[in-house]
Amino acid sequence: EALPSVSLVPFVVESLGRVSPEARALIRSLAPSSPSERSLVIRCALQDLSVLVQTRLAEQLRSAEAGRTRGA
């Protein structure tokens, strides 16, 4: 093993924005430890990630539809 102290974390987000338990755990591990900040940071990170995935999916669908109507 070339880098024994480094581990790979599968960061999976479904097409509708659901985050895998491993990705959620990584986000939680990077969040601040202060209870007043922690929940807000985690909630915002998960929401931002979900919105980003859904936005990109919508862009892909619109792009595919535009190419389909032009070629028809």
Side-chain angles (χ1 to χ4, degrees):
E1 201 171 311
L3 299 172
S5 63
V6 177
S7 61
L8 178 65
V9 176
F11 198 96
V12 178
V13 182
E14 293 180 4
S15 58
L16 295 179
R18 183 173 178 180
V19 180
S20 71
E22 295 86 0
R24 187 176 300 269
L26 179 62
I27 290 170
R28 287 182 180 190
S29 74
L30 297 172
S33 58
S34 166
S36 61
E37 296 177 39
R38 185 174 175 77
S39 64
L40 177 63
V41 168
I42 292 170
R43 187 172 64 243
C44 287
L46 292 171
Q47 184 176 10
D48 289 351
L49 185 57
S50 179
V51 168
L52 180 63
V53 168
Q54 291 179 48
T55 300
R56 297 296 180 244
L57 178 60
E59 289 173 357
Q60 289 179 349
L61 292 172
R62 284 195 305 240
S63 173
E65 185 62 28
R68 191 171 152 209
T69 56
R70 275 185 275 155

